[in-house]
């Protein structure tokens, strides 16, 4: 598979946008402009961006609490994402959900989830609907390493397998569930092993290799449409704390440093330069674009109105 | 009118809606060839096939979540949870996902699903298969909650629930499945709106507000009391959410004496809500006596039939409590 | 007396009990070196080691069930569920196992465990991390349910809960974790019995019955009203199960006017129970006005801080409702 | 491993007692002497009997809804079992639990469960307590094939694995969860495969071979005390319907017949005769014993008093 320059451009731009989004959002927290909590995916950009860029609008995704890369990958509107983070009326959830609940049904995102593993059962339903209607589209469900220890994981993979659903389960393994290293939460060499309990295929990939992730997603989509679900494990690392208040005493600075050297953004840049896909100038232009986009998003968000108290009862029930 | 059972009424409601809406599917444990643990779905697998009547593994969490996902993306779903006691395993998808999605996604993603589950004691199924857990779901904004007491209501309410664009928890009553009642012919499509209580018996001396199986028991008590020329009104609220407050309040004003009856254990039961709705309205000033509440005993449901029968409000206890009121 | 925070009080209660009882263990997600999501268990891992302070995988069902099994066979356990919203995933082990085992096993197998979980809104954690679900567990016979409002109560009640031979659901309040209050010196071992309400403020014109974070808010309202020479009694029930009915009833008789306040959404909330307990007692005949209820709005908890603040009973709304009463 | 005659005797007697217990109980249902429901394990006698006979009093078991073989295997009092089935005050649960909740802490049974998979999380706690106290005993958790599809299975095996608990998970695979054949509820060749998701050992055995089951349990006990949990799958078949009201249209009469030919009781009898462990006369004596025991149990139960309504509030709370 040889990716076009356009694709590389898209992947790189989205990764840099994600990086910039997270760093900016973190700053907004420190400045006290955001209340509540948020979970940043810095260091994991390649996962959501690589997977989602390989999808079509009609492919669904279920996002996680750490899913800005997934949203940006699926072409969500960055302005509305940022506005939601700031709790504004123009945000994806009209300020009611915050970044743990961003969703954009118009681009195929069925929502992030505050419950670890909460999206997995829902993904089986979305994929069932696709199968029921003979659609040629698939559902992709994101979740973390920690989520694979919960009952929802088991029940969902099993049901998807029994029903041959067109569903790609994507595990972002960043080695930790909060402070708990996978060595203390499971007893297996590689998370992909878990697929065997359901008789489904799985692969385990370098989660910082956006190109490979993109390629494998394309293949996986074809595969699951024919054969039913599969599991993709993307091995990566979270650079920042679990959430804004994490003192990170459960891991060493060296470990973090080591992983920062494997930066997925830099890696893709190097790859493109080496393979002469884009020039340094072109890349720099993209980076500037990204910075500009995020700046614009913050402006949009900051200038947006707060939700009105009169609307507080909206959307509790559908008509 | 013809008479059919409560179970048949539910079967008809589902079948008719499935005939009319190709986007409606039905999932649950052993609902297919087995016809459901209580035989409610008999014949549906044969009529609609395995694509639309879907047996599942024993995994209530994903069954419920699967319905959420399918319903959010364009299908309508009916989920059967074999006993409502197993809601304990489905609560996350029901309360944290189905109920909240539309709100937390800023209006995106309605969840038109019906979760059916039988509740109640009386079959010797003991502690983990006999509970009445409607109070849990009635406390979750975003859910609607229905409990029919007759075949007529069961059919009409279920059809409405299926057409509703919200997640509806439809709690059936195990002991009512085989009871019969009048239901219009199949051709006569009728629905009953959610949120309309039904005055099952008019009266002027006191009001019983109740739902589910306790409606039948209350009606028996009322008939007995009529012999002593005491005229009891019996209101079946039919849906807990939305609740027809007006109906309760008006009746309370009329009779001035209200008894709330439900099978669920009394402490923390939905009866408290009903009492409060009445007491915190202008009906308060018409009350001649405290609003009384009679729920099940605050214990798990025991196996022994003699004990089991004493846990829920009995005719004797309802009568005695009414007499205290009068 | 020294002042410590609510979180420290809980930490001290657990630590002291663990020092005194080698059979007491503590399990939950990230309670070890991380010290718990809210830092409540800071230092306990260091003091008691990994054998007694046990981090778990993210799996609320087995965490809770593990406590049931360990407690049934001779240990005592404290379980921390990171947010009470995740009770949705633990309900089966809590409601169908822990609560019922002793009864359904004919008296064999007590389950001396405490399930701690923080509830409540106000931290911007949104729909799935902000609920107040005490009504669910208070409706399950076999469970006890405690919600402390001050550091003093938190410590004294938690120690009692740990020594109790039943499963106790101990619901903490996220927004209270950092509030400070007087607590006796470490050496002064004290406990507070479950089932004793606390009159946090004596008054004669009206009674507010409440619990948890709403106690502090109600006290503020009472202080404000005092300026208008209106004398409000504030009762903190402290434990929902067992409930100190006598205390409520006596206060209702004294003041004749009662307002129930809780943060949980109003419909189906525990407020209905409190209203009923009062109305269905002889206090009814002393009431000068309807017993009023003020719960949270019947909506999921929104993210935006402005909206979030309006969902729960505010000082303004409590004041307004009190004035309606008076 | 060579089993003593005493052991063989014990295994055989318990199996025949179980067979007789179930058939008698089924009759009592038909006669209307039992209300409620019950799940009979006829055909599966070797599983519970084989496993539990290899255990000591201080080893715990968690039983299933279909667990009379497990109870009899663990030396529960048959009189109290029968009395409980009839809802009598002398029953194990004082008539309050019925046969879905029989328990006898004095012989190490921590109870049957009406929730499919409900015992698994509890088993982790019992095993944790054994480990905590450095006991040389283990916990055995029974469950069915259907239960392996639930979240409780996943979370429990994972936790037990991470904590190296002395816990034997025993799956009685009787091919069906109610009407649902394992081919429609999971997508794997053998249930034992599921152990790989937790990095634990597993074996899959002929569930009608009581001798082998006994031997493997002895070994498993030693193994889990050293190495942490393992999974044993016992492949067998349920002869009767799922519960009293099952019309059994989901399986063929031929299938049932085929399995009846593999009767675990007859098989053990043959084995003993062939290996001259017991004579035909000795065996017949045991069978008579069993019949007598069950008859006595019915008498005991029928002559026992109903629970008193005054005691209805007992045991809701401990003091
Ligand atoms: C059911 C549930 N349990 C616990 C939490 C609290 N929590 C939020 S994120 C998290 C860690 C999740 O780990 P993982 O799945 O690996 O995702 P990551 O955060 O590493 O991206 C935890 C424990 C939750 N939100 N939901
Ligand atoms: C959580 C839960 N879901 C459904 C049921 C209803 N039910 C009782 S037994 C059973 C089948 C269980 O299958 P399996 O685990 O294979 O055990 P078996 O009955 O075959 O011995 C079902 C679905 C239940 N009791 N609990
Ligand atoms: Mg992780
Ligand atoms: Mg089975």
């Amino acid at each position: 598979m040889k990716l076009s320059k356009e694709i590389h451009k898209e992947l790189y731009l989205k990764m840099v946008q994600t990086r910039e989004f997270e760093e900016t959002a973190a700053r907004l927290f420190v400045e006290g402009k955001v209340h509540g909590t948020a979970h940043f995916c810095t260091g994991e950009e390649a996962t959501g961006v690589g997977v989602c860029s390989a999808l079509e609008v009609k492919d669904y995704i279920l996002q996680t609490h750490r899913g800005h890369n997934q949203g940006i990958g699926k072409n969500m509107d960055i302005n509305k994402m940022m506005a939601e983070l700031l709790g504004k009326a123009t945000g994806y959830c009209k300020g009611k959900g915050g970044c743990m609940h961003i969703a954009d049904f118009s681009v195929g995102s069925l929502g992030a989830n505050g419950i670890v593993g909460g999206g997995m059962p829902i993904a089986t339903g979305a994929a069932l609907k696709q199968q029921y209607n003979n659609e040629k589209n698939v559902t992709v469900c994101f979740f973390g390493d920690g989520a694979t220890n919960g009952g929802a994981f088991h029940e969902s993979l099993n049901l998807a397998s029994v029903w041959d659903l067109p569903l790609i389960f994507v595990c972002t393994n960043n080695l930790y569930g909060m402070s708990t290293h996978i060595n203390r939460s499971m007893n297996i060499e590689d998370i992909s092993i878990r697929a065997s309990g359901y008789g489904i295929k799985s692969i385990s990939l370098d989660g910082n290799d956006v190109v490979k992730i993109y390629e494998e997603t394309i293949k996986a989509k074809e595969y699951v449409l024919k054969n039913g679900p599969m599991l993709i494990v993307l091995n990566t690392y979270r650079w920042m704390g679990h959430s804004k208040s994490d003192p990170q005493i459960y891991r060493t600075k060296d470990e973090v440093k080591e992983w920062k050297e494997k930066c997925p953004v830099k890696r893709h840049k190097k790859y493109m330069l080496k393979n002469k896909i884009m020039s340094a100038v072109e890349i720099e232009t993209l980076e500037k674009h990204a910075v500009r986009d995020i700046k614009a998003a913050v402006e949009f968000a900051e200038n947006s109105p707060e939700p009105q108290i009169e609307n507080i009862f909206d959307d509790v029930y559908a008509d | 009118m013809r008479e059919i059972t409560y179970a048949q009424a539910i079967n008809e409601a589902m079948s008719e809606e499935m005939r009319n809406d190709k986007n409606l599917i039905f999932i649950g444990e052993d609902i297919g060839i087995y016809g459901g643990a209580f035989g409610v779905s008999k014949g549906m697998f044969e009529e609609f096939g395995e694509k639309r009547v879907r047996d599942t593994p024993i995994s209530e969490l994903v069954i419920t979540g699967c319905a959420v996902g399918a319903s959010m993306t364009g299908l309508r779903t009916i989920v059967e949870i074999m006993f409502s006691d197993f809601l304990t395993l489905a609560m996350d998808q029901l309360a944290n996902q189905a109920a909240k999605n539309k709100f937390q996604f800023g209006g995106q993603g309605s969840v038109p699903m019906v979760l059916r589950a039988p509740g109640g004691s009386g079959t010797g199924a003991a502690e983990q298969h006999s509970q009445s857990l409607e109070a849990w779901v009635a406390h979750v904004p975003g859910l609607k909650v229905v409990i029919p007491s007759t075949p007529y209501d069961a059919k009409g309410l279920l059809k409405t629930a299926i057409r509703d664009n919200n997640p509806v928890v439809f709690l059936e009553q195990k002991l009512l499945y085989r009871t019969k009642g009048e239901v219009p012919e199949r051709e006569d499509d009728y629905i009953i709106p959610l949120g309309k209580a039904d005055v099952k018996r008019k009266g002027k001396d006191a009001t019983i507000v109740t739902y589910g199986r306790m409606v039948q028991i209350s009606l028996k008590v009322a008939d007995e009391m009529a012999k002593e020329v005491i005229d009891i009104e019996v209101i079946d609220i039919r849906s807990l959410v939305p609740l027809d407050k007006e109906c309760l309040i008006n009746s309370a004003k009329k009779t001035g004496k209200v008894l709330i009856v439900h099978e669920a254990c009394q402490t923390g039961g939905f009866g408290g809500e009903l009492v409060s709705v009445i007491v915190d309205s202008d009906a308060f000033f018409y009350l001649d006596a405290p609003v009384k509440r009679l729920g099940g005993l605050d214990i798990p449901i025991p196996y022994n039939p003699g004990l089991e029968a004493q846990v829920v409000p009995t005719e004797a206890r309802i009568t005695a409590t009414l007499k205290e009121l009068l």
Side-chain angles (χ1 to χ4, degrees), chain A, chain B:
Chain A
M1 201 182 298
K2 203 178 163 308
L3 307 194
S4 69
K5 178 169 174 183
E6 278 316 299
I7 298 287
H8 278 291
K9 231 170 129 172
E10 179 183 341
L11 293 173
Y12 192 73
L13 176 64
K14 285 174 170 176
M15 285 205 291
V16 185
Q17 283 174 330
T18 302
R19 175 72 53 94
E20 191 65 20
F21 189 97
E22 300 299 60
E23 288 179 350
T24 305
R27 211 163 46 237
L28 292 172
F29 263 104
V30 174
E31 290 169 9
K33 287 185 179 155
V34 191
H35 104 138
T37 191
H39 307 83
F40 301 120
C41 65
T42 315
E44 307 176 6
E45 292 86 353
T47 61
V49 169
V51 169
C52 294
S53 300
L55 303 177
E56 299 165 35
V57 172
K58 287 190 169 174
D59 295 320
Y60 296 124
I61 63 167
L62 278 294
Q63 300 182 222
T64 65
H65 59 286
R66 197 182 304 290
H68 297 150
N69 52 354
Q70 301 147 10
I72 290 174
K74 200 74 169 64
N75 301 312
M76 281 176 79
D77 181 330
I78 294 174
N79 288 358
K80 289 189 186 173
M81 284 174 62
M82 191 63 85
E84 190 55 41
L85 192 71
L86 269 66
K88 296 303 182 75
T90 55
Y92 264 120
C93 319
K94 303 178 184 163
K96 286 181 176 175
C99 71
M100 265 193 299
H101 300 294
I102 49 169
D104 185 347
F105 282 51
S106 75
V107 300
S109 167
L110 303 180
N113 214 305
I115 301 296
V116 167
M120 288 191 256
I122 300 174
T124 67
L128 174 62
K129 172 260 180 180
Q130 290 169 324
Q131 185 192 58
Y132 187 81
N133 289 341
N134 289 312
E135 297 173 20
K136 289 290 156 271
N137 288 92
V138 305
T139 297
V140 173
C141 182
F142 288 97
F143 51 89
D145 47 290
T148 70
N149 299 315
F153 170 86
H154 182 69
E155 296 189 3
S156 301
L157 269 74
N158 190 55
L159 188 74
S161 172
V162 170
W163 287 356
D164 293 328
L165 299 178
L167 176 39
I168 309 175
F169 290 100
V170 177
C171 176
T172 304
N173 171 22
N174 60 12
L175 299 183
Y176 292 89
M178 226 159 139
S179 71
T180 308
H181 192 274
I182 51 169
N183 287 345
R184 296 197 301 127
S185 79
M186 62 187 84
N187 206 1
I188 44 177
E189 287 301 313
D190 194 297
I191 293 177
S192 62
I193 292 171
R194 298 209 142 154
S196 60
Y198 318 100
I200 66 173
K201 183 181 161 176
S202 67
I203 51 174
S204 187
L205 303 176
D206 181 337
N208 286 3
D209 183 349
V210 75
V211 175
K212 179 82 176 161
I213 293 171
Y214 179 92
E215 290 170 354
E216 291 295 331
T217 306
I218 298 277
K219 287 189 220 160
K221 189 174 159 180
E222 211 170 300
Y223 176 86
V224 303
L225 277 169
K226 260 203 222 119
N227 306 288
M230 73 173 280
L231 169 64
I232 301 181
V233 179
L234 303 175
N235 300 292
T236 180
Y237 198 76
R238 130 170 90 69
W239 289 11
M240 301 203 203
H242 164 74
S243 64
K244 56 163 187 165
S245 53
D246 175 1
Q248 299 183 53
I249 40 176
Y250 50 84
R251 63 184 189 182
T252 63
K253 292 218 167 96
D254 280 354
E255 185 181 277
V256 180
K257 204 175 138 220
E258 213 174 279
W259 275 94
K260 283 194 175 173
E261 278 156 22
K262 301 183 200 163
C263 173
V265 182
K266 277 203 196 127
R267 176 171 172 170
H268 188 220
K269 184 178 187 165
K270 241 192 217 160
Y271 175 92
M272 290 194 296
L273 287 172
K274 191 173 149 211
N275 292 284
K276 304 215 160 49
I277 297 164
M278 279 200 275
S279 69
V281 174
E282 282 175 303
I283 290 176
E284 207 176 308
T285 311
L286 280 184
E287 288 167 352
K288 281 193 185 138
H289 271 301
V291 172
R292 199 193 52 198
D293 293 344
I294 302 306
K295 221 178 135 196
V298 173
E299 252 167 58
F300 172 81
E302 291 194 327
N303 293 327
S304 288
E306 297 283 329
Q308 298 294 301
I309 184 77
E310 301 86 73
N311 301 329
I312 199 166
F313 289 103
D314 290 358
D315 302 323
V316 179
Y317 289 97
D319 298 328
Chain B
M1 236 187 278
R2 73 190 171 121
E3 292 212 331
I4 61 174
T5 66
Y6 186 92
Q8 283 170 322
I10 292 166
N11 182 305
E12 283 190 9
M14 291 195 286
S15 299
E16 289 175 15
E17 293 302 306
M18 285 186 76
R19 272 174 224 130
N20 290 334
D21 183 356
K22 294 276 169 287
N23 274 326
L24 176 60
I25 63 169
F26 179 26
I27 64 185
E29 292 161 13
D30 304 291
I31 58 170
I33 190 165
Y34 196 90
F38 295 93
V40 173
S41 55
K42 278 226 173 79
M44 291 181 66
F45 179 80
E46 290 76 2
E47 176 173 358
F48 301 104
E50 63 179 3
K51 202 180 154 189
R52 298 183 69 195
V53 177
R54 306 182 71 100
D55 275 344
T56 66
I58 306 168
S59 40
E60 284 77 9
L61 186 62
V62 74
I63 296 171
T64 307
C66 180
V68 176
S71 297
M72 246 171 34
T73 52
L75 300 182
R76 284 178 182 274
T77 47
I78 306 169
V79 183
E80 178 173 301
I81 297 291
M82 201 181 284
F83 287 78
S84 70
D85 311 67
F86 312 156
L87 283 177
T88 49
L89 291 161
M91 272 320 254
D92 190 66
Q93 287 296 322
L94 190 60
N96 282 337
Q97 317 289 343
K100 296 182 174 45
N101 277 354
K102 193 173 181 65
F103 184 86
Q104 68 196 355
F105 295 160
Q108 302 172 82
S110 304
V111 186
M113 69 183 263
V114 176
L115 184 149
R116 292 178 38 240
S121 65
T123 68
E127 289 80 356
Q128 296 172 331
H129 290 73
S130 306
Q131 294 165 88
S132 298
L133 297 173
E134 64 273 9
W136 287 2
V137 282
H139 189 44
V140 180
L143 300 179
K144 296 186 176 180
V145 182
V146 178
I147 306 185
S149 73
T150 67
Y152 180 89
D153 287 352
K155 183 169 178 185
L157 290 165
L158 182 52
K159 287 174 74 107
T160 311
I162 291 171
R163 298 178 196 181
D164 198 288
N165 287 326
N166 295 283
V168 180
V169 181
F170 193 87
L171 293 167
E172 299 164 8
Q173 304 275 285
K174 289 197 284 288
L175 272 195
L176 294 184
Y177 276 139
R178 296 178 185 199
T179 59
K180 287 195 162 187
E182 293 195 336
V183 173
E185 296 304 319
R186 282 170 203 269
E187 304 77 58
D188 300 338
D189 188 28
Y190 74 99
I191 55 170
I192 300 172
L194 310 188
K196 285 296 290 173
D198 188 38
V199 181
K200 287 276 191 288
R201 186 185 200 284
K202 274 200 180 306
K204 59 181 191 341
D205 296 329
T207 305
I208 296 181
V209 179
T210 186
Y211 54 89
R213 184 164 75 92
M214 288 296 128
V215 172
Q216 314 308 337
I217 314 250
S218 300
L219 286 169
K220 273 197 208 158
V221 170
D223 284 347
E224 280 304 308
M225 306 270 289
K227 294 180 189 161
E228 302 176 31
V229 213
I230 302 171
D231 192 16
I232 305 291
E233 179 143 312
V234 177
I235 296 179
D236 177 1
I237 60 171
R238 299 201 290 200
S239 71
L240 284 65
V241 182
L243 178 66
D244 189 351
K245 297 184 184 179
E246 214 187 311
C247 174
L248 311 191
I249 291 169
N250 287 341
S251 180
K253 283 187 189 169
K254 182 174 76 176
T255 65
K257 302 195 184 73
V258 183
L259 170 64
I260 314 283
V261 178
H262 60 60
E263 171 169 346
C265 64
Q266 180 163 311
T267 295
F270 198 70
E273 181 65 29
L274 297 171
V275 171
S276 300
V277 163
I278 294 168
V279 170
D280 193 1
S281 75
D282 57 343
F284 177 80
F285 300 103
Y286 296 76
L287 293 175
D288 302 323
V291 175
K292 288 236 162 260
R293 215 176 23 145
L294 193 60
L297 303 182
D298 288 323
I299 65 172
I301 307 288
Y303 170 70
N304 175 280
L307 299 185
E308 187 185 21
Q310 291 306 314
V311 174
V312 302
T314 55
E315 283 177 55
R317 274 218 294 279
I318 296 173
T319 308
T321 317
L322 268 179
K323 289 197 169 159
E324 277 176 45
L325 255 188
L326 292 161

